[in-house]
Amino acid sequence: MLSKFIQNTGWPRIIIALFLIALFSVAPFVGVQIDVSISQILERFAMNGVLVLAMIPMIQSGCGLNFGLPLGIIAGLLGAVLSIEFNGEIISSVINFAGQYNFLTWIDANFVNAHREAFIFSAAIIFSIPIALILGWLYGILLNFVKGDEMMIATYVGFSSVSFMCIAWLLLPLKNPVMVWGYAGTGLRTSISVDGFWLHVLSNSLGFHVNERLYIPGGMLIFFAVVAFLVWLFMRTKTGTALTAAGSNPDFARASGVNVNKMRTISVMLSTVLGAVGIIVYEQGFGFIQLYMGPFYMALPAVASILLGGATVNKAGILNVIIGTFLFQGILTMTPPVINNIFQSDMSEVIRLIVSNGIIVYALTRKARAER
């Protein structure tokens, strides 16, 4: 039984899990507070969880790992900057709508203003979804033309879309002074603060302190749980079952009357929408909207996380997302402070790069073995 467990889990993943346990064991002896570290891991887990969830639909439909995730992230970034640009109009529209149609009579101007950040955050998601659906639809059509080379083309899509948007961010006619370059008056900044708009709107919602240092970000964890449940539920609907059949055995699915290309396109659209929502959740916790090359660096950690959790290029589930994201973010959170305190030197960024890139390389070698 033990040998079967080792065979199914794989020594590298077992070693990574044991390494994380070792870090927790050593932490108290080198002055690292475990409760603070747990808080940070939970926050990073919840911030990144939806982005990793975005991998599931495309894997299940046979489109492979979504290296084109930056396309969905770009949709989320567009929704985010639009929510900041029109934040005043959003609040006014909500107040007018509630007053005119008696929509939930307890919603009035005072309620809307008190929950201003939540409404702007919701608007960012609402703005991003139609953009993501359109981009995902076009992306899905492209992948249907290149069957067998989806992951290679997805990489090109991710890189080219980021490069294109590096020009677009400079040309978009947005005028909010928080976002544009001050000396030029046009073109968006590299980093845009969400403070005053929807900073920590989920992180601070329904959160609670277990003790003085251990904080549970309840809002983000609940949001991730709800999105994960919706993905799980969708994959068990008639469409979700057809999507999985199209990925596992396209010939049999086609013979059973399933439109394989349609299912693949739906999976890409869903993955793109999840990527858009995921980056907005990430930004509210991180505190900044990262434009230009920012989306380019988000795909590999998401891919590595789900592979680390036990997924393959052909099969993935919610449990793979949870395990992989926790391991990946746990290692990234725990390694720098423990190593810094052991050697009494600040090597946090070097260690973070080595560890994150090492995990990514391991995950991608697992992908290569699975393909063979």
Side-chain angles (χ1 to χ4, degrees), residues 55-96:
M55 295 288 135
I56 291 180
M58 285 184 59
I59 291 175
Q60 289 294 97
S61 71
C63 292
L65 298 165
N66 186 11
F67 288 100
L69 184 64
L71 198 65
I73 291 173
I74 286 169
L77 295 177
L78 285 168
V81 297
L82 288 174
S83 73
I84 292 177
E85 177 74 8
F86 301 111
N87 71 92
E89 290 84 349
I90 291 167
I91 299 303
S92 298
S93 298
V94 173
I95 293 173
N96 292 336

Side-chain angles (χ1 to χ4, degrees), residues 189-362:
R189 301 173 185 267
T190 305
S191 298
I192 300 169
S193 173
V194 297
D195 188 16
F197 299 102
W198 30 273
L199 176 64
H200 297 158
V201 65
L202 289 178
S203 305
N204 295 337
S205 176
L206 302 176
F208 59 93
H209 284 273
V210 176
N211 58 38
E212 186 178 345
R213 294 185 298 267
L214 177 54
Y215 179 75
I216 308 298
M220 280 203 296
L221 292 173
I222 291 171
F223 188 91
F224 168 77
V226 170
V227 176
F229 175 74
L230 291 176
V231 172
W232 177 87
L233 198 63
F234 171 79
M235 297 307 297
R236 279 152 182 78
T237 62
K238 183 178 179 180
T239 301
T241 303
L243 186 150
T244 301
S248 59
N249 194 329
D251 293 332
F252 176 79
R254 195 176 291 109
S256 301
V258 174
N259 187 329
V260 173
N261 284 349
K262 180 181 178 181
M263 291 301 107
R264 285 164 57 94
T265 302
I266 289 173
S267 75
V268 176
M269 292 172 68
L270 179 57
S271 181
T272 307
V273 168
L274 288 171
V277 174
I279 194 60
I280 295 173
V281 174
Y282 179 89
E283 289 161 354
Q284 64 80 35
F286 183 63
F288 293 91
I289 300 170
Q290 297 286 94
L291 302 180
Y292 299 94
M293 293 304 293
F296 186 70
Y297 302 104
M298 301 299 290
L300 282 180
V303 169
S305 294
I306 199 164
L307 291 176
L308 188 61
T312 68
V313 293
N314 302 312
K315 185 178 180 181
I318 304 298
L319 188 60
N320 301 132
V321 172
I322 295 172
I323 294 173
T325 307
F326 186 83
L327 285 177
F328 190 92
Q329 299 302 327
I331 293 291
L332 284 187
T333 302
M334 291 297 296
T335 304
V338 171
I339 299 299
N340 282 346
N341 286 15
I342 289 176
F343 293 101
Q344 296 298 309
S345 61
D346 186 8
M347 302 185 296
S348 57
E349 278 309 308
V350 175
I351 294 167
R352 196 181 299 276
L353 285 172
I354 292 173
V355 171
S356 62
N357 290 335
I359 294 175
I360 289 170
V361 169
Y362 156 69

Side-chain angles (χ1 to χ4, degrees), residues 99-270:
Q100 184 174 355
Y101 296 99
N102 290 323
F103 178 71
L104 297 179
T105 55
W106 48 272
I107 294 183
D108 56 16
N110 291 331
F111 178 89
V112 174
N113 287 322
H115 297 83
R116 179 175 177 274
E117 292 188 348
F119 282 104
I120 299 175
F121 174 78
S122 301
I125 293 177
I126 292 170
F127 287 152
S128 70
I129 288 176
I131 300 172
L133 288 172
I134 294 170
L135 294 179
W137 176 66
L138 295 173
Y139 181 23
I141 291 174
L142 174 62
L143 292 186
N144 283 335
F145 278 106
V146 294
K147 290 179 182 176
D149 295 315
E150 291 94 343
M151 285 186 283
M152 180 179 69
I153 298 301
T155 304
Y156 294 149
V157 167
F159 182 79
S160 60
S161 61
V162 170
S163 300
F164 173 79
M165 288 306 296
C166 284
I167 301 172
W169 297 127
L170 292 172
L171 300 177
L172 288 177
L174 302 178
K175 300 297 182 182
N176 191 306
V178 172
M179 298 192 295
V180 299
W181 293 106
Y183 62 87
T186 58
L188 300 184
R189 301 173 185 267
T190 305
S191 298
I192 300 169
S193 173
V194 297
D195 188 16
F197 299 102
W198 30 273
L199 176 64
H200 297 158
V201 65
L202 289 178
S203 305
N204 295 337
S205 176
L206 302 176
F208 59 93
H209 284 273
V210 176
N211 58 38
E212 186 178 345
R213 294 185 298 267
L214 177 54
Y215 179 75
I216 308 298
M220 280 203 296
L221 292 173
I222 291 171
F223 188 91
F224 168 77
V226 170
V227 176
F229 175 74
L230 291 176
V231 172
W232 177 87
L233 198 63
F234 171 79
M235 297 307 297
R236 279 152 182 78
T237 62
K238 183 178 179 180
T239 301
T241 303
L243 186 150
T244 301
S248 59
N249 194 329
D251 293 332
F252 176 79
R254 195 176 291 109
S256 301
V258 174
N259 187 329
V260 173
N261 284 349
K262 180 181 178 181
M263 291 301 107
R264 285 164 57 94
T265 302
I266 289 173
S267 75
V268 176
M269 292 172 68
L270 179 57

